[in-house]
Amino acid sequence: MELQAAIKERKSIRGFLDKPVPKEVLNEILEISVRAPSTKNAQPWHFYVVADEPLEQLKKANVNRLISPEAPPGEMAHILIEPEKGTVYRDRQVDIGIRLFKLMEIGREDKDKRLEWVKRGFRYFDAPAAIILVGDKSLPVEGAYLDAGLVIQNICLAAVDFGLGTCIENQGITYSDVLRDIVQIPDDKRLLAAIAIGYPDDDFPANKVISHREKVEDVVTWCGI
Ligand SMILES: Cc1cc2nc3c(=O)[nH]c(=O)nc-3n(C[C@H](O)[C@H](O)[C@H](O)COP(=O)(O)O)c2cc1C
């Protein structure tokens, strides 16, 4: 597939077929993706690819933690964008939420359906595999996060080429103690992102979402050209 087409086709997928992704395919996606550039070629990433029994365990443990009264904030909560009310960033967050809830027929006041949707996120959208991206805590989080973004985008684009869908997820790394325990991630590694990955369920309503983008003319300043 042409690169431009893959970039245009990629979108977050939140419903997957009950069909495992072969290990060879996941491995090939990672082989391609680690060609991503990184600061000083540090390649500050490590991938935990989780499927099958450990993933089922993780999905259950995440949801149990979500509904437990003492669910703590995520380890990375302090660096996440939490847009303030009245900002354009908040407006965009609300917009994608409205689009998803409309497709999923989740009413504003429907607490049960809303909770079910949030649980789904903590279950890696029921994907057959999840990639947990970690970095080394000895490196500054800002740089690691930028480099991680590059390799993550490669993963999402390469996945499209294999007929797979992805959803990058903060939800998937929120309950760090649960994740560290089940996947055996050591304390000196920083959890950077989760990517749910699998074959898209084309009939799943939320997969039809097309997120809005601002016009380039509104987000560019030309200088000397
Ligand atoms: C760092 C990062 C974290 C994200 N975390 C979540 C998440 O926890 N749950 C979710 O449903 N989507 C998550 N997303 C997906 C975004 O909502 C999505 O990329 C955005 O709305 C644009 O839509 P698109 O990916 O379909 O183009 C995340 C995306 C990024 C880049």
Side-chain angles (χ1 to χ4, degrees):
M1 181 186 286
E2 293 300 320
L3 181 61
Q4 286 189 35
I7 291 172
K8 286 179 187 159
E9 194 179 306
R10 186 220 58 83
K11 59 183 176 175
S12 293
I13 293 298
R14 298 180 175 87
F16 298 90
L17 298 179
D18 184 15
K19 177 179 167 190
V21 185
K23 185 174 179 179
E24 302 72 48
V25 171
L26 291 167
N27 191 60
E28 207 174 330
I29 288 171
L30 293 178
E31 294 263 8
I32 294 163
S33 300
V34 294
R35 292 308 308 170
S38 60
T39 315
K40 299 177 181 167
N41 201 25
Q43 304 165 62
W45 45 64
H46 186 92
F47 310 95
Y48 288 82
V49 186
V50 195
D52 218 331
E53 196 40 47
L55 184 58
E56 288 315 306
Q57 230 182 308
L58 193 52
K59 289 172 181 175
K60 279 197 192 103
N62 268 344
V63 170
N64 284 341
R65 178 58 63 86
L66 171 73
I67 58 178
S68 83
E70 68 276 7
E75 204 175 89
M76 300 298 280
H78 60 293
I79 65 154
L80 297 180
I81 295 176
E82 281 303 341
E84 281 181 31
K85 265 191 182 166
T87 65
V88 66
Y89 309 108
R90 177 63 163 247
D91 293 347
R92 292 173 190 155
Q93 176 187 12
V94 170
D95 177 71
I96 186 66
I98 289 173
R99 284 170 199 253
L100 285 167
F101 278 21
K102 196 170 173 199
L103 285 163
M104 294 301 297
E105 296 181 351
I106 302 173
R108 266 178 84 90
E109 308 301 330
D110 194 335
K111 283 190 182 151
D112 290 346
K113 274 194 176 175
R114 287 174 82 107
L115 177 62
E116 203 37 59
W117 178 251
V118 176
K119 283 184 184 174
R120 195 180 170 79
F122 282 92
R123 293 197 312 264
Y124 305 88
F125 298 104
D126 293 335
I131 300 173
I132 311 296
L133 180 61
V134 306
D136 201 287
K137 278 190 183 166
S138 65
L139 298 169
V141 65
E142 295 86 353
Y145 220 48
L146 178 59
D147 291 346
L150 302 174
V151 81
I152 289 171
Q153 175 74 343
N154 272 2
I155 292 171
C156 296
L157 292 179
V160 172
D161 205 26
F162 284 89
L164 291 160
T166 53
C167 188
I168 307 163
E169 272 201 281
N170 283 321
Q171 281 171 301
I173 55 162
T174 298
Y175 302 130
S176 42
D177 54 335
V178 167
L179 193 53
R180 289 184 188 283
D181 181 38
I182 294 173
V183 186
Q184 294 289 293
I185 302 174
D187 277 342
D188 62 349
K189 298 292 176 211
R190 183 179 276 129
L191 305 175
L192 295 175
I195 308 170
I197 185 164
Y199 296 97
D201 177 352
D202 293 332
D203 295 329
F204 188 73
N207 287 348
K208 295 188 172 49
V209 79
I210 301 294
S211 54
H212 170 77
R213 292 295 185 278
E214 300 301 329
K215 286 195 193 120
V216 169
E217 65 193 57
D218 294 332
V219 296
V220 68
T221 303
W222 302 99
C223 187
I225 179 170

